[in-house]
Amino acid sequence: MSGAPDGPAGVLPAGAYEVRVAEHPGDLEACFAVRKDVFVGEQGVPEDIEYDAYDPGALHVLAVREDGVPLGTGRLLEGEAAAAKVGGDPAVGSLGRLAVTREARGLGVGAALVRAIEAAARARGLAAVDLHAQTHALGFYERLGYVAYGPEFADAGMPHRAMRKAL
C-alpha cells in the first residue's frame, strides 16, 4: 500500500513511502524503534510498559520511506489478546501502538497505517476495531470514522478515550 502526503506539499512526494505488514527481516525491529522514539523518547512512557506480551502475536504494520527509513507503525490485536481491551467481543479487534515519527506527521502516514490495520481486520473477518486514543488525538480518529465512548481514563499517565469503528 503506497501513501501520498495529505499535508505540506513537497515534503514527501507521492509514493515516497509504503505501508506494509511487518514481515520482512528487520521490520519488527523498525516498528519497535519508531515506538521507542515516539512513546518512550517524546512522551516519556516507561520502556518497560511500552513493549508487552501482546507484541509477539500481534499483526504489526510499518510505514517506510523509499530509502527504507521507518516513518510509522501500528498493531492489531484480535481474539484473546484483544478481549480485555474491547469488552470481550471476539468480533472486535484492537488497534494500538500507532506511532508516526516527528518528520512524517501531517503527511497522511498515520491515516495510511490506520487504513492498513482496518484492511487486515476486515481480512480476518472482524466486524469492528476499537482503540484507546490519547485525548489530543481524538479529532484524528474521528476524521477516520471512529466514535468515542465511555469515560476518559489514564494510560501510561496520559488521558485517553475508548473509540470504535464498525467495518
Side-chain angles (χ1 to χ4, degrees):
M1 175 179 295
S2 290
D6 57 358
V11 176
L12 282 177
Y17 67 90
E18 71 167 337
V19 175
R20 64 179 185 240
V21 172
E23 55 192 10
H24 300 301
D27 280 356
L28 198 53
E29 292 82 9
C31 291
F32 291 160
V34 170
R35 285 170 45 183
K36 185 174 183 177
D37 287 347
V38 174
F39 295 127
V40 177
E42 291 181 32
Q43 297 182 355
V45 173
E47 194 166 355
D48 62 329
I49 67 169
E50 173 50 33
Y51 309 102
D52 60 27
Y54 299 119
D55 279 322
L59 176 126
H60 297 266
V61 295
L62 176 66
V64 292
R65 216 167 51 190
E66 285 178 329
D67 62 3
V69 172
L71 300 175
T73 188
R75 75 177 186 188
L76 174 68
L77 303 177
E78 60 181 315
E80 293 269 328
K85 298 176 181 289
V86 302
D89 188 340
V92 180
S94 176
L95 184 160
R97 301 304 202 267
L98 188 75
V100 175
T101 61
R102 183 174 282 140
E103 73 169 310
R105 290 181 197 145
L107 303 176
V109 174
L113 288 162
V114 170
R115 287 191 295 271
I117 290 168
E118 291 170 352
R122 277 188 203 92
R124 287 163 172 68
L126 298 175
V129 172
D130 263 25
L131 58 88
H132 294 165
Q134 293 179 15
T135 55
H136 71 83
L138 288 171
F140 167 78
Y141 290 111
E142 287 169 344
R143 288 188 295 278
L144 294 173
Y146 287 80
V147 177
Y149 67 90
E152 186 175 294
F153 60 94
D155 188 4
M158 292 174 273
H160 284 69
R161 291 280 310 276
M163 301 186 85
R164 180 173 286 189
K165 179 179 180 180
L167 301 177

